[in-house]
Amino acid sequence: MSETQWHVPDEALRRFVADPGAGDGIGAASIEAHLTRCAACRETAASSVDRAALSRSWEALADRIDRPRATVVERLLGRLGFGSSLGRLIAATPALRWAGLAATAVVGVAAVMLSRFAGADGPFLVVAPLAPLAAIAAAFVPTTEPGGEASVATPLWGAGLLLRRALAVLALTIGILALTSLALPGLDVRALGWLLPAVALSFGSIALGTFLRVEIAATGLAFAWVTTLTVLRVLGGAGFSVADSALFDARGQFVLFVVTAVSAAVALTRRHRLGTLEVFP
Amino acid sequence: MNAVTNVTVNNVAVKSVSKRFGATVALDGVDAQFGPGVNGLLGPNGAGKTTLLRILATVLAADSGDVDAFGVDPSTGDGRLAVRRRLGYLPQEPGFHRHFSAFDFVDYIAILKEWAERRTRHDEVRRVLTLVGLADVMHKRISQLSGGMRRRVGIAQALIGRPDLLVLDEPTAGLDPEQRLRFRELLGTESAGATVLLSTHQTDDVAALCQHVVVLLAGSVRFSGTPTALAALADGRVWLADERDPRADLAWVTGDGLVRHVGEPPARAQHVTPTVEDGYLVLAGRAGHTGASEPDPAVRVS
């Protein structure tokens, strides 16, 4: 880069350094262009810079550059009043990332299409409760924890964080499934019958997850759910309808509510088991 | 579980700690004390080093026995929280999320360590990543970093907030010689006044870094003392010869063509000054050769 013989007058340079945007734009642009070619003027400019202000400016710039980009879920949690740090910890769970949410949507859409093909709510009522269960299991399995084992040895790790994540997962997966259920054939109130089974299975997996590995608990509950419906199907004979079966009438829903309440109580009572890797070493 | 009593000089102590995974006994009544400075854990694979470190890092709970860290019992909820607030932990396998950059990962752990204020936290994240020499690649995805760089990312997150207790499981695994030297220098400056527990297979790391070393064999403590004392276990049992002596426990050809032997020396053997590695080999060899159900009593040298 060639040096020039002309130099910016000291006063003009001082004003430029103090506030580059204060003068006329053309003059500032000229000085800026000159500084890129003139080492002497750069040195003079550097000597009159407010070091503290420059340091603050750099720190703000670095902070802006380094700030991790917030995900959609993080922004959503922020609007719901969660602090940015807590929002980040909750949103980091794989079930709340795009892939996890997309998987829930795909399951929901597939179940709706099966129901439309069958001309009844049955397939959706069977499949929909399994999606939140899978998402909860994925949120609790330590191998999916974004920080790995290092996370477990930190003060914020434990039941508080995991249960908040579970609630966020449950709320979002249920929301997505509720949206897809709007496309069910002959939509009526019975189509909401999957909600309590979804919550009961999810809470049940968390409660059982304080005794054994959560993925084993979730797999066992999914198997129990499908087995129960198969038995009801066999007992129901030719005219069997999932929506009219014992699981989805008032008594069945009450039983599922009780299962949810008991599971929540067990999970809270045994929450200390979630503070280490004891149940999933 | 009761806290170990009378812990004054030692910041961390375990007493009669046992841990079992199914039929496998990982730790069998381990007693050990760790004071300020760098404490090394030596032992072969499967000796129980990682299990002991995981218990001290509050990641696992002991089946029985007492654990004390800074006068606190980490088996209780409050005790665990108190220990975690003073802890930096590098697991053997950190398990990074593939979407994270080095900065994202360390920032995420910093949030979990209660660094809620973003600007301060980011300053600390930049500081620890710079300390381990990753300032230039901090925004690269971890999946694009080399094995040694990933190890340094793990070390960086353990250093957040200059913890009083640093638990490092094989921190130098995967580091090249220069990085290992830099790690030693870093540990010297960053852990001043802290209690550091590190497991390693590198006996020269122990000799260079540790004020105290514990040797674990088959879930039991077999030695506790200084590296010099560990090396002294091989006094009179290490010699050089032109030919391999079949009666030696171990023998290998050195760079200058002589054969270095460890074991019972023959008469008029050319003895050499033993190293920490020799002492460890004598200890491990003695245990291996007894092969009996009754282990040798632990050697304790202060």
Side-chain angles (χ1 to χ4, degrees):
Chain A
M1 210 173 277
S2 62
E3 288 286 327
T4 59
Q5 293 301 311
W6 180 83
H7 298 292
V8 182
D10 287 349
E11 181 55 25
L13 193 58
R14 192 192 56 73
R15 282 201 305 272
F16 174 80
V17 168
D19 187 358
D24 69 289
I26 295 171
S30 301
I31 294 173
E32 194 173 290
H34 175 80
L35 285 174
T36 63
R37 299 194 307 273
C38 180
C41 285
R42 277 202 301 276
E43 202 168 307
T44 309
S47 65
S48 55
V49 163
D50 178 348
R51 294 283 164 190
L54 185 66
S55 176
R56 283 195 301 275
S57 176
W58 268 116
E59 283 171 12
L61 192 61
D63 177 61
R64 193 77 192 166
I65 292 168
D66 291 339
R67 195 180 303 173
R69 192 190 298 174
T71 64
V72 174
V73 175
E74 262 180 270
R75 288 198 289 269
L76 180 65
L77 289 168
R79 289 200 181 134
L80 291 173
F82 288 86
S84 64
S85 300
L86 184 58
R88 184 130 194 271
L89 293 180
I90 292 173
T93 186
L96 294 176
R97 289 180 168 269
W98 272 118
L101 298 175
T104 304
V106 167
V107 169
V109 168
V112 165
M113 289 179 72
L114 276 173
S115 293
R116 291 184 75 90
F117 183 73
D121 298 345
F124 188 84
L125 292 176
V126 173
V127 172
L130 298 176
L133 175 64
I136 289 282
F140 272 69
V141 173
T143 49
T144 63
E145 160 55 34
E149 193 174 313
S151 297
V152 183
T154 59
L156 289 186
W157 177 269
L161 175 62
L162 291 172
L163 294 176
R164 282 188 180 97
R165 279 180 173 174
L167 289 176
V169 166
L170 207 54
L172 271 170
T173 50
I174 283 177
I176 291 169
L177 291 167
L179 281 177
T180 58
S181 73
L182 294 175
L184 283 170
L187 186 65
D188 62 24
V189 72
R190 290 185 307 173
L192 294 173
W194 61 275
L195 273 171
L196 259 177
V199 176
L201 288 172
S202 300
F203 276 60
S205 70
I206 297 170
L208 283 176
T210 62
F211 293 92
L212 67 165
R213 294 168 72 103
V214 71
E215 60 267 41
I216 295 173
T219 306
L221 285 172
F223 182 75
W225 172 249
V226 173
T227 304
T228 305
L229 285 165
T230 306
V231 169
L232 290 175
R233 168 78 181 82
V234 171
L235 294 176
F240 177 78
S241 158
V242 174
D244 295 328
S245 68
L247 269 177
F248 295 96
D249 66 14
R251 277 177 303 175
Q253 295 281 297
F254 178 73
V255 169
L256 288 166
F257 175 76
V258 171
V259 169
T260 304
V262 170
S263 298
V266 169
L268 284 175
T269 307
R270 293 177 55 80
R271 63 186 180 279
H272 63 281
R273 295 278 291 171
L274 301 171
T276 66
L277 292 182
E278 280 307 302
V279 286
F280 15 61
Chain B
M1 199 179 291
N2 299 318
V4 179
T5 52
N6 299 327
V7 177
T8 48
V9 176
N10 297 307
N11 290 337
V12 178
V14 292
K15 187 173 173 58
S16 306
V17 163
S18 295
K19 183 72 184 176
R20 174 185 283 273
F21 298 105
T24 306
V25 178
L27 295 176
D28 186 14
V30 167
D31 290 325
Q33 294 85 39
F34 305 100
V38 183
N39 299 267
L41 265 183
L42 275 176
N45 291 329
K49 303 188 298 294
T50 292
T51 302
L52 180 58
L53 291 185
R54 289 174 105 192
I55 288 171
L56 292 170
T58 74
V59 168
L60 289 180
D63 292 341
S64 61
D66 299 328
V67 181
D68 182 294
F70 304 111
V72 170
D73 176 4
S75 68
T76 65
D78 288 345
R80 192 162 60 214
L81 180 63
V83 172
R84 286 179 177 177
R85 284 188 165 140
R86 303 176 72 175
L87 173 70
Y89 173 50
L90 171 69
Q92 192 176 43
E93 294 170 19
F96 303 110
H97 193 286
R98 63 193 173 93
H99 290 298
F100 273 157
S101 68
F103 188 96
D104 290 345
F105 174 75
V106 179
D107 187 48
Y108 178 81
I109 297 294
I111 295 173
L112 281 166
K113 287 187 170 184
E114 301 178 310
W115 287 69
E117 207 283 308
R118 195 190 67 234
R119 287 283 287 273
T120 320
R121 185 176 74 238
H122 284 187
D123 287 346
E124 178 66 2
V125 172
R126 275 189 289 273
R127 183 186 77 83
V128 293
L129 283 169
T130 304
L131 274 176
V132 297
L134 294 176
D136 293 341
V137 295
M138 67 169 78
H139 292 297
K140 268 194 169 183
R141 281 191 176 189
I142 293 178
S143 57
Q144 296 173 330
L145 300 180
S146 68
M149 284 178 170
R150 288 184 201 186
R151 202 69 191 147
R152 284 188 276 159
V153 173
I155 293 168
Q157 63 79 26
L159 295 174
I160 294 169
R162 293 191 173 90
D164 296 324
L165 174 61
L166 259 176
V167 177
L168 309 170
D169 198 348
E170 297 191 23
T172 54
L175 299 186
D176 64 33
E178 187 197 340
Q179 289 165 359
R180 278 175 56 203
L181 292 177
R182 289 197 183 285
F183 169 75
R184 289 177 188 175
E185 186 182 25
L186 170 68
L187 204 59
T189 54
E190 275 299 295
S191 69
T195 298
V196 183
L197 279 76
L198 64 86
S199 77
T200 181
H201 290 293
Q202 308 283 345
T203 48
D204 49 344
D205 280 344
V206 171
L209 280 170
C210 300
Q211 289 87 58
H212 178 235
V213 59
V214 167
V215 178
L216 274 177
L217 295 172
S220 299
V221 174
R222 304 301 287 268
F223 173 88
S224 178
T226 63
T228 308
L230 177 57
L233 292 181
D235 267 344
R237 295 169 60 87
V238 186
W239 73 98
L240 291 171
D242 294 329
E243 300 289 331
R244 185 187 176 90
D245 186 335
R247 291 166 300 180
D249 293 337
L250 279 166
W252 65 95
V253 180
T254 60
D256 53 10
L258 293 171
V259 182
R260 187 180 177 97
H261 297 79
V262 178
E264 284 304 321
R268 293 193 297 279
Q270 182 190 340
H271 290 288
V272 292
T273 306
T275 62
V276 170
E277 183 175 48
D278 296 324
Y280 171 71
L281 289 174
V282 164
L283 202 63
R286 188 189 294 166
H289 281 286
T290 57
S293 56
E294 287 295 319
D296 290 350
V299 182
R300 295 188 185 282
V301 186
S302 304

